[in-house]
Amino acid sequence: MIITFIGHGYVGLVTACVFADLGNTVYVIGRNQDKLKRLSSGDPIIFEPGLQELLKKNLAKKTIHFTTDYSVSIPKSDIVFIAVGTPPNEDGSANTTTVYSVAELIGKHLKKGYTIVSCKSTVPIGTNRKIKKIIDTVKNKDAYIDVVSCPEFLREGTALQDTFTPDRIVIGSDSKKAINILLDLHKPLEGKRVIVGLESAEIIKYASNSLLAAKISFANLISFYCEETGADVLEVLEGVGLDRRIGHRFLQPGIGYGGSCFPKDVKALITMGDALSLDTTFLKAIEKINRDAQTRFISKIKKYVPKGKIALWGLSFKPNTDDVRDSPAFNIINALLYDGYTIQAYDPEAYKNAKRIYKKNKNITFLSSPYDTLNEANGLVICTEWNEFKQIDLQQVKKILKKPIILDGRNIYEPKKMKIRGFTYLSVGRNSV
Ligand code: UDX
């Protein structure tokens, strides 16, 4: 098939490369010439394991092309995927401006015949129907379309694996013809097919992300109980998760969820619920506990680490990505800077993105080795569970740190062993000093 993707972020670029690799001819439309040039030369711009190799492979096979020009591919495409961002508005609702402006451009470039327009962006309920209306208003009379909501569930860091072997493929549409074409396109991929209506597909995405965020907040809430009572949260959640109805996944307590999806999608579901006059207390509690997890961690740092230099490892919102959007680490950093600490930070991939954000602040420096951050530091704070930190030479860490204090926001070390090594070690939901 001939497919166009509008947008080359995590969702657009990864899915485009996967469909190109499966033998389709794929066009990717963007707005920024510089970025398109980089993409055309094999640089995926974002850090995602395996993506560069897949991009280069398909550029060489000429199955993927990048352009700013809608007229190059829209008229000949079987399917046009919308994969642009829907960032939060000030009130927390999803901003659909780009989705609608892109829909209008698609409509204006359709010449004749049948095209499927499929929305992969996470959009509020009713958006897909509005996309159809916009396109129907501006399109040529010889062109006709069906709209399909095809939400994406890929995680950063495992995006290729999630796209090649998804748990499920959700296809939402009123049109049997469009559903069958989408089923055909996804034929080589694993995963259960979920064929639903447009609105159901839209809600599935928000419900999935909010439930995962709820699991994390629940684990964090239980960690507060453990801290107050002397229980060990990992023991508790091991016991809880063994119930097959519950499971262990997404029950990892820490300094809360971040990233480009959970924070914005929970917020958007709240605004949708408020607009429908529904009780959104449950969703608001998910957010509140996420904030509390960070506040409690910040209090621990301030209590145990004397003012002065402090080392901080991990800037991305989770490991294996350079994405720092809504990273919990930034809330920790901002609170420490406000309190007068001087931060020496390290992250294997995200330091460049973080450096850009703090470039005007002299009280935070970004170093290229985790050990360098420890020089003259009164303590070490860990915000992201990169494997590199799990395998670090702790003897060396203790030797360089001015005070052997570690505040671990992701529970990567064993409290008893840390005590034997002579550290003052504080983690989440496990009492040990
Ligand atoms: C998420 C969804 O998983 C994915 O399906 C959707 O398409 C996009 O949003 P992503 O944001 O890439 O993916 O990351 P994910 O692995 O889900 O983690 C999100 C956040 O939750 C991270 O900050 C992570 O550190 C945190 N998290 C995750 C926990 O704090 N505890 C856990 O047990 C799991």
Side-chain angles (χ1 to χ4, degrees), residues 232-243 247-248 251:
D232 180 318
V233 73
L234 296 189
E235 289 174 3
V236 171
L237 293 174
E238 169 67 10
V240 171
L242 280 170
D243 184 325
H248 287 113
L251 274 185

Side-chain angles (χ1 to χ4, degrees), residues 67-103:
T67 178
T68 52
D69 187 354
Y70 280 66
S71 64
V72 169
S73 68
I74 299 292
K76 62 181 175 195
S77 286
D78 300 298
I79 307 170
V80 179
F81 282 106
I82 298 176
V84 296
T86 50
N89 288 315
E90 232 158 66
D91 66 354
S93 61
N95 186 326
T96 46
T97 315
T98 317
V99 172
Y100 292 139
S101 59
V102 154

Side-chain angles (χ1 to χ4, degrees), residues 153-156 216 250-252 257-258 261-262 317-318:
F153 301 96
L154 61 80
R155 290 162 299 173
E156 292 177 23
I216 298 166
F250 278 75
L251 274 185
Q252 195 62 47
Y257 61 78
C261 290
F262 287 177
F317 77 97
K318 66 172 193 178

Side-chain angles (χ1 to χ4, degrees), residues 145-160:
I145 64 148
D146 274 319
V147 167
V148 180
S149 168
C150 195
E152 184 52 62
F153 301 96
L154 61 80
R155 290 162 299 173
E156 292 177 23
T158 51
L160 290 182

Side-chain angles (χ1 to χ4, degrees), residues 113-305:
Y114 181 66
T115 312
I116 292 170
V117 177
S118 178
C119 190
K120 279 214 163 283
S121 305
T122 303
V123 290
I125 310 151
T127 304
N128 277 277
R129 289 203 190 276
K130 201 163 163 196
I131 290 173
K132 173 138 173 67
K133 256 194 197 150
I134 290 171
I135 297 176
D136 281 342
T137 314
V138 296
K139 73 176 175 51
N140 196 312
K141 65 175 179 8
D142 296 329
Y144 61 108
I145 64 148
D146 274 319
V147 167
V148 180
S149 168
C150 195
E152 184 52 62
F153 301 96
L154 61 80
R155 290 162 299 173
E156 292 177 23
T158 51
L160 290 182
Q161 183 193 323
D162 289 349
T163 311
F164 276 115
T165 57
D167 289 341
R168 78 297 211 186
I169 292 166
V170 175
I171 300 174
S173 183
D174 297 337
S175 156
K176 270 206 173 121
K177 180 177 176 180
I179 289 169
N180 284 332
I181 294 172
L182 261 292
L183 282 172
D184 244 20
L185 174 72
H186 287 90
K187 214 174 223 159
L189 299 177
E190 287 178 21
K192 190 152 173 59
R193 274 55 173 162
V194 184
I195 310 300
V196 294
L198 279 175
E199 287 76 12
S200 297
E202 289 168 341
I203 298 182
I204 285 173
K205 177 65 195 251
Y206 281 110
S208 301
N209 275 358
S210 297
L211 187 56
L212 289 169
K215 279 190 93 175
I216 298 166
S217 276
F218 189 80
N220 281 326
L221 177 65
I222 296 302
S223 80
F224 307 160
Y225 278 81
C226 292
E227 284 181 1
E228 299 304 326
T229 57
D232 180 318
V233 73
L234 296 189
E235 289 174 3
V236 171
L237 293 174
E238 169 67 10
V240 171
L242 280 170
D243 184 325
R244 270 177 292 185
R245 293 169 300 176
I246 299 170
H248 287 113
R249 296 176 76 187
F250 278 75
L251 274 185
Q252 195 62 47
I255 49 170
Y257 61 78
S260 68
C261 290
F262 287 177
K264 112 178 145 58
D265 291 352
V266 174
K267 272 195 181 66
L269 197 59
I270 291 171
T271 59
M272 280 182 253
D274 287 343
L276 295 164
S277 302
L278 299 172
D279 185 344
T280 52
T281 312
F282 175 71
L283 297 170
K284 285 174 183 152
I286 297 172
E287 287 193 310
K288 164 89 170 53
I289 295 166
N290 203 51
R291 284 194 299 273
D292 288 349
Q294 289 158 24
T295 315
R296 288 177 71 97
F297 189 63
I298 291 162
S299 304
K300 273 187 233 165
I301 303 173
K302 288 183 186 170
K303 185 170 166 195
Y304 285 93
V305 184

